[in-house]
Amino acid sequence: MAVELKKGQKVNLKKKVPIGEVLINLNWDQPKKRFLFAPKPIDLDLGCLYELKNGRKGTVQALGNAFGHLNAEPWIALDGDDRTGASAGGENLRINGARIPEIQRVLVYTFIYEGAADWQTANGVVTLRYPGNDDIIVRMDEYNNARRMCAIALLENDGGDGFIVEKQVAFFDGHAQMDKAYGWGMRWVPGRK
């Protein structure tokens, strides 16, 4: 069973069973070849900003090799970098379910690292799997091809061991602009894979 969130809609995910991990998956499509011209493949990257209750803030993403850690702070890890969109498993963020009480908030985002900014063709879909709850589907069903970064969903601690999840789908020019919009307060420098 799955629940598809609408923009601004919130869902409270409660701990109903012992949670091994929360899985956040991104899948997308590559542009199709038209006539003799093949569009440059899109490299869509999944990542997140996190804030722990102890005040530590950071990012987990392939850019800058900031893959995180599942069994140490920040309790969030990215499992790899699918540069083609061809992997059936897509890209995955994993959150250590036993450490949710230590996490204040997580902003899940994606950005186009390479290729044309064509969000509609990319058809990105994020699925959040939280044991004991229905899967949460967040479709990237709004488009702003002038911007290469999209905040997808905000997970906020519900005051205990669960998350309140809200669909965002808000577009930005880059990390710094998104950070400012959500009040993270981090300093950004250019990075590469």
Side-chain angles (χ1 to χ4, degrees), residues 45-49 59-62 78 91 93 107-111:
D45 282 351
L46 179 65
C48 73
L49 295 178
T59 188
V60 174
Q61 62 181 14
L78 179 66
E91 291 191 7
L93 281 170
L107 180 65
V108 178
Y109 60 79
T110 186
F111 62 97

Side-chain angles (χ1 to χ4, degrees), residues 48 50 115-116 137 161 181 185-186:
C48 73
Y50 65 82
I137 306 291
D161 54 11
M186 295 178 11

Side-chain angles (χ1 to χ4, degrees), residues 98-132:
R99 300 299 186 157
I100 290 173
E102 298 175 48
I103 300 171
Q104 183 63 38
R105 61 183 179 151
V106 177
L107 180 65
V108 178
Y109 60 79
T110 186
F111 62 97
I112 297 174
Y113 181 74
E114 284 185 335
D118 186 351
W119 294 103
Q120 188 169 4
T121 300
N123 194 29
V125 177
V126 168
T127 303
L128 188 145
R129 292 185 176 93
Y130 193 99

Side-chain angles (χ1 to χ4, degrees), residues 7-26:
K7 188 159 185 172
Q9 181 182 1
K10 294 181 181 183
V11 173
N12 194 339
L13 299 176
K14 291 288 188 185
K15 183 175 177 180
K16 297 178 183 175
V17 297
I19 299 173
E21 69 181 29
V22 176
L23 176 71
I24 301 167
N25 171 265
L26 169 68

Side-chain angles (χ1 to χ4, degrees), residues 14 29 36 42 44 47 50 56 94 117 141 152 154 180 185:
K14 291 288 188 185
D29 299 327
L36 298 176
I42 295 173
L44 199 59
Y50 65 82
R56 180 177 174 192
R94 300 175 190 280
D141 51 8
I152 299 170
L154 181 62
K180 184 176 180 181

